[in-house]
Amino acid sequence: MKSKIPKVAHKIIDKPMINWVIDVAKKISNDIGIVLGNGKDQVKDLLDDDVKIFEQKERLGTGHAVLCAEKFLDSSDILILYGDVPFISYNTLNSLIERHLKDNNSSTILSVRLEDPTGYGRIIKNEDKFVKIVEEKDADTSEKQIKEVYTGIAVYKGNQLKEALHHITPQNAQGEYYLTEVFEYLEKVGVVELENEIEVIGVNDRIQLAEAEKKIRYEILKKHMLNGVTIQDPDSTYISVDVSIGPDTIIYPQTFIYGKTTIGEDCEIGPLTRIKDCIIEDNVKIIRSECELSKIQKNVSIGPFSRLREGTELQENVKIGNFVETKKTKISCNSKAQHLTYLGDTYVGKDVNVGAGTITCNYDGKKKNKTFIDDGAFIGSNTSLVAPVNVGKNSLIGAGSVITKDVPDNALALARAHQINKENWVLKRNSENVEKGV
């Protein structure tokens, strides 16, 4: 990858490759081990605490990598996956395991037929029965014509795999311990052929990374469209694999939806919108905005040019307008902040109007403080609420106020200097300037 970032930590649709593999593995078993080499500390930070980590200090091949995790192997069946083959599906793995158990195999291999099998180990058969796997660099001319290849993914009887690993040697063109050699020492090997080659795309450089992302991105978009989601421009739309979207929602161009976001029915998202790790209910409209780690209830309108940061919660019928930013803020039903507003560490009650230019001054240089705005309050334009402060129910704050003390229920609060008009002051100033030759 020519990068200081380990290959499996590079992201595909905002999700590190290794997490694609780990997430599907967790659907199979909670007992997961990973073998790491260069950059192991960076990869560790991406993993949950329950993933067992083994280190391969020297890069001596795939067989050696598995041997580094020998303590992980026991009499149980074991599934081996690859951190740079991120798109393998649960359904494929489940079918592979079912065949393995049904046929009582020592190992069951996942294969695929490729028009261009260059670089892959070829599967050698005799009357449809598995014989061996020949790596690309060790294959002769006739073997290189074989299109059925070894994906690297296989399930094994753990005790037989463990024993076979101690028989393999680095007597090959690359001088490595090939995992493929273990099949020569196993009693019964089966092969399951995969139909969709996208599932076993491998990534070895930045070009393959981009190509892989493009292919899987279209697969994800097709799934949503077939489930009733309108995506106006698939070429400019990016949706992560863990995103859920309800039917009759429209996704407009230049929209990016990442993480474990859920979006309900009849929503309109975009254009020029980025959403990550949000819960969005039905009939929500978000235009030209950013939303992250937020909860948005039904019938909410957001944007354009809004920014919802972590901890934002918007209840039903809330309106958030242009150039409004929120963080750790809950806004209750039917309230609105339509223009040029910052609300941080704030609770806003029901039926509140937050005027243009309002800000909560929540940081005093040492800690964050909270603002409480009760039901029915009206916050005049260009108001500064200096936290900690409470604004009472049905109260009204005059425009341009700087509120530093609590406002009682039903009160009018004014906190600004008295206006002074000095008549003819401009004329006098201009006259003085003329005398000075200005």
Side-chain angles (χ1 to χ4, degrees), residues 39 41 58 125 144 149 151 158 195 236 242 266 338 344 377 395:
D41 292 333
E58 297 179 87
K125 292 181 176 178
K144 287 181 179 179
V149 301
T151 64
E195 292 184 5
S236 69
D242 299 317
D266 302 302
Q338 297 277 47
S395 60

Side-chain angles (χ1 to χ4, degrees), residues 421-426:
N421 295 332
K422 294 186 177 183
E423 294 188 11
N424 299 318
W425 181 88
V426 173

Side-chain angles (χ1 to χ4, degrees), residues 173-280:
Q174 291 182 276
E176 295 182 351
Y177 294 88
Y178 293 154
L179 182 59
T180 50
E181 285 190 22
V182 302
F183 299 116
E184 298 177 23
Y185 303 97
L186 299 177
E187 295 173 6
K188 183 182 179 184
V189 178
V191 179
V192 173
E193 188 175 333
L194 176 68
E195 292 184 5
N196 186 1
E197 64 182 71
I198 289 176
E199 290 193 32
V200 289
I201 291 174
V203 175
N204 289 305
D205 56 39
R206 308 276 185 149
I207 296 171
Q208 291 179 348
L209 183 70
E211 290 172 346
E213 175 162 313
K214 185 174 183 179
K215 287 179 179 179
I216 196 62
R217 185 162 63 84
Y218 275 95
E219 291 291 309
I220 293 169
L221 296 178
K222 282 193 287 185
K223 179 193 73 173
H224 287 295
M225 288 187 281
L226 291 171
N227 286 335
V229 178
T230 295
I231 298 175
Q232 282 199 341
D233 183 15
D235 287 338
S236 69
T237 302
Y238 293 73
I239 300 177
S240 291
V241 67
D242 299 317
V243 171
S244 172
I245 305 177
D248 293 319
T249 285
I250 302 173
I251 309 297
Y252 292 103
Q254 293 293 326
T255 294
F256 306 80
I257 307 173
Y258 294 141
K260 297 186 183 299
T261 294
T262 62
I263 299 174
E265 300 180 7
D266 302 302
C267 295
E268 295 182 25
I269 310 296
L272 298 166
T273 293
R274 179 180 176 275
I275 298 170
K276 184 172 183 179
D277 294 319
C278 291
I279 299 172
I280 300 171

Side-chain angles (χ1 to χ4, degrees), residues 43-107:
V43 180
K44 281 181 183 179
D45 292 339
L46 304 174
L47 306 177
D48 292 335
D49 293 337
D50 57 351
V51 175
K52 300 177 180 67
I53 296 173
F54 304 91
E55 184 178 0
Q56 185 185 23
K57 294 181 179 180
E58 297 179 87
R59 300 178 69 175
L60 300 177
T62 50
H64 177 258
V66 177
L67 200 56
C68 290
E70 186 174 8
K71 291 181 179 179
F72 190 77
L73 306 180
D74 55 26
S75 59
S76 304
D77 290 315
I78 182 168
L79 173 67
I80 294 181
L81 305 173
Y82 285 78
D84 58 0
V85 181
F87 305 137
I88 191 67
S89 73
Y90 167 76
N91 288 338
T92 294
L93 295 179
N94 194 49
S95 297
L96 180 69
I97 292 167
E98 286 181 350
R99 175 70 69 83
H100 176 75
L101 297 175
K102 179 182 176 182
D103 294 347
N104 194 28
N105 291 332
S106 302
S107 176

Side-chain angles (χ1 to χ4, degrees), residues 371-412:
T371 298
F372 183 91
I373 303 172
D374 212 336
D375 298 348
F378 185 98
I379 313 299
S381 298
N382 201 33
T383 293
S384 296
L385 300 169
V386 183
V389 68
N390 298 313
V391 177
K393 187 176 295 185
N394 298 317
S395 60
L396 189 151
I397 296 176
S401 294
V402 178
I403 301 299
T404 60
K405 297 178 182 179
D406 289 352
V407 179
D409 293 351
N410 304 302
L412 168 65

Side-chain angles (χ1 to χ4, degrees), residues 414-431:
L414 298 169
R416 58 193 181 203
H418 291 292
Q419 182 173 326
I420 299 173
N421 295 332
K422 294 186 177 183
E423 294 188 11
N424 299 318
W425 181 88
V426 173
L427 295 176
K428 182 180 178 180
R429 181 194 63 179
N430 290 344
S431 177

